[in-house]
Amino acid sequence: MQTTSYSHPLFCFSCRTKLYCRNISTNGKSKGSVKFRAPYPSQLGRKCGFNGRPRVYISPSPIKPNRLYVLHNTGDNHPSAFSVDDEMNTNHAPNGMSPTFLSNWSPPRYLWRGLSVLILAGQVVVKTLKGKIHWRNTLQQLERVGPKSVGVCLLTSAFVGMAFTIQFVREFTRLGLNRSVGGVLALAFSRELSPVVTAIVVAGRIGSAFAAELGTMQVSEQTDTLRVLGSDPVDYLVTPRVLATCIALPLLTLLCFTLGMASSALLADGVYGLSINIIMDSAQRALRSWDIISAMIKSQVFGAIISIVSCAWGVTTLGGAKGVGESTTSAVVISLVGIFIADFALSYVFFQGAGDQLKNCV
């Protein structure tokens, strides 16, 4: 028998428990009422007895609240009925059990995304220690992060170095501290400027690309396809990007430091008449090997922050193209904030007792 559901039932049968008079309900029992009602009497046949006004029948025993809906059947012109319990449990909790306080609570998106960063970082460390590395993808990502990002990083570092030279040379020349200019520039570039500037450029260029690529793969279910084919997305997608960024960023930082010092020396010699030999000698006296090592350590930490945050934001993308755009923007912002926080923490640990290296430059 085929049935067709109308938007309105032909008539409704409802039962509910009802208290009448005080003298009847004093024995603690309640009587029930059964009400037959036809919302649309014109749709009923002549043989149906419910096409009049609603009728109420008294039942001597309590009746469980429920509803009986009758719909028109286009197959054999006989109505079909179904019953619905008014007290049906709709909160997905077991019968007889009240829902818990946090049963309908879901964690905010930023919370589980932050936890996904920690989980993904742990998975990358475990995969690397076990040797589960896709070397071909790692080399491809290394070429992308390293050689293809050198031009932007060197250009940015050169102009930052010249801008700092303009600020320092004039002030130090008026104070008669020409021999300290090179040492100040060398310490500023090695400890702070080169690692941070390089990380910012890589976060804008590489981090956004990582988040956009993995986000697109996530919303188009390509990561699920990898799992079906037996490949772990962490091994194939995340670990190569993290390793490539951690390896390439220290090398980029070293190149940026060299070019920044060179551009500063050329500007000081050509514009302000301060000899290149004086600047280089001052920088050599002020620098220590720990300054370069600390810059390399900072760069590796910044590279890990950029790659892990970008990959985590990519694999947790929701909502199609709009979600990909939001994940990309959010990944870059969170990466920059993480870079600045990590820079403060590492600088406090590495250089808390420093402060006498410029004495050799005076």
Side-chain angles (χ1 to χ4, degrees):
M1 180 177 65
Q2 298 179 354
T3 59
T4 302
S5 297
Y6 280 61
S7 59
H8 303 287
L10 298 183
F11 66 88
C12 175
F13 164 83
S14 62
C15 304
R16 63 180 180 272
T17 303
K18 183 178 180 180
L19 292 177
Y20 284 92
C21 300
R22 292 184 181 179
N23 56 354
I24 298 178
S25 60
T26 53
N27 56 1
K29 298 182 180 180
S30 61
K31 293 188 177 182
S33 64
V34 181
K35 183 177 182 180
F36 294 93
R37 178 173 56 87
Y40 302 94
S42 61
Q43 298 179 6
L44 297 176
R46 296 180 178 179
K47 295 183 180 181
C48 284
F50 307 111
N51 55 357
R53 63 179 182 177
R55 303 178 184 180
V56 179
Y57 298 91
I58 306 299
S59 175
S61 60
I63 301 175
K64 185 179 180 180
N66 53 32
R67 292 177 182 269
L68 177 65
Y69 290 95
V70 180
L71 301 179
H72 182 66
N73 188 350
T74 58
D76 53 4
N77 294 325
H78 290 285
S80 60
F82 62 93
S83 178
V84 178
D85 189 357
D86 287 349
E87 296 181 353
M88 184 179 293
N89 189 2
T90 58
N91 55 15
H92 304 287
N95 292 329
M97 296 179 58
S98 60
T100 59
F101 177 70
L102 298 177
S103 60
N104 295 326
W105 180 83
S106 60
R109 191 177 184 186
Y110 66 86
L111 180 60
W112 60 264
R113 269 191 159 178
L115 294 177
S116 68
V117 172
L118 300 179
I119 294 172
L120 198 62
Q123 289 180 343
V124 170
V125 172
V126 172
K127 302 291 185 181
T128 304
L129 294 178
K130 290 183 178 181
K132 295 182 179 181
I133 302 172
H134 200 283
W135 291 108
R136 183 177 179 181
N137 285 353
T138 303
L139 293 177
Q140 292 177 353
Q141 298 300 327
L142 186 61
E143 178 186 5
R144 181 184 184 184
V145 177
K148 293 185 178 180
S149 302
V150 170
V152 180
C153 293
L154 293 181
L155 186 64
T156 305
S157 179
F159 281 97
V160 170
M162 289 187 288
F164 267 76
T165 302
I166 293 173
Q167 302 297 328
F168 282 117
V169 169
R170 287 184 176 181
E171 300 298 331
F172 277 60
T173 301
R174 292 175 181 177
L175 296 175
L177 300 174
N178 295 341
R179 294 187 176 274
S180 299
V181 174
V184 172
L185 291 175
L187 292 178
F189 269 99
S190 62
R191 293 181 177 181
E192 296 296 332
L193 291 180
S194 295
V196 174
V197 170
T198 306
I200 291 174
V201 174
V202 171
R205 185 182 184 277
I206 302 300
S208 60
F210 286 173
E213 289 177 356
L214 296 184
T216 304
M217 296 180 69
Q218 179 66 24
V219 298
S220 60
E221 299 180 355
Q222 296 182 35
T223 54
D224 297 334
T225 305
L226 288 176
R227 294 186 181 94
V228 172
L229 295 176
S231 299
D232 189 353
V234 177
D235 296 343
Y236 192 80
L237 299 175
V238 179
T239 304
R241 286 169 167 79
V242 175
L243 292 179
T245 310
C246 292
I247 293 172
L249 207 59
L251 300 177
L252 291 175
T253 300
L254 189 60
L255 292 175
C256 290
F257 169 73
T258 304
L259 185 61
M261 285 298 301
S263 62
S264 298
L266 291 174
L267 181 65
D269 186 23
V271 177
Y272 299 102
L274 190 60
S275 175
I276 295 179
N277 294 329
I278 295 177
I279 293 178
M280 292 303 168
D281 182 68
S282 175
Q284 184 178 2
R285 291 174 180 271
L287 281 177
R288 299 289 184 270
S289 59
W290 174 245
D291 297 324
I292 305 299
I293 294 174
S294 64
M296 300 297 103
I297 296 174
K298 279 187 175 183
S299 299
Q300 286 187 333
V301 175
F302 296 162
I305 292 174
I306 294 169
S307 56
I308 293 176
V309 169
S310 300
C311 292
W313 254 245
V315 299
T316 56
T317 301
L318 301 173
K322 182 180 179 181
V324 173
E326 293 177 352
S327 295
T328 303
T329 304
S330 180
V332 174
V333 172
I334 298 299
S335 298
L336 294 179
V337 174
I339 287 170
F340 294 137
I341 294 175
D343 179 59
F344 165 74
L346 294 175
S347 298
Y348 184 81
V349 173
F350 291 160
F351 309 114
Q352 187 177 7
D356 57 349
Q357 292 182 227
L358 288 178
K359 292 181 180 179
N360 300 327
C361 304
V362 179

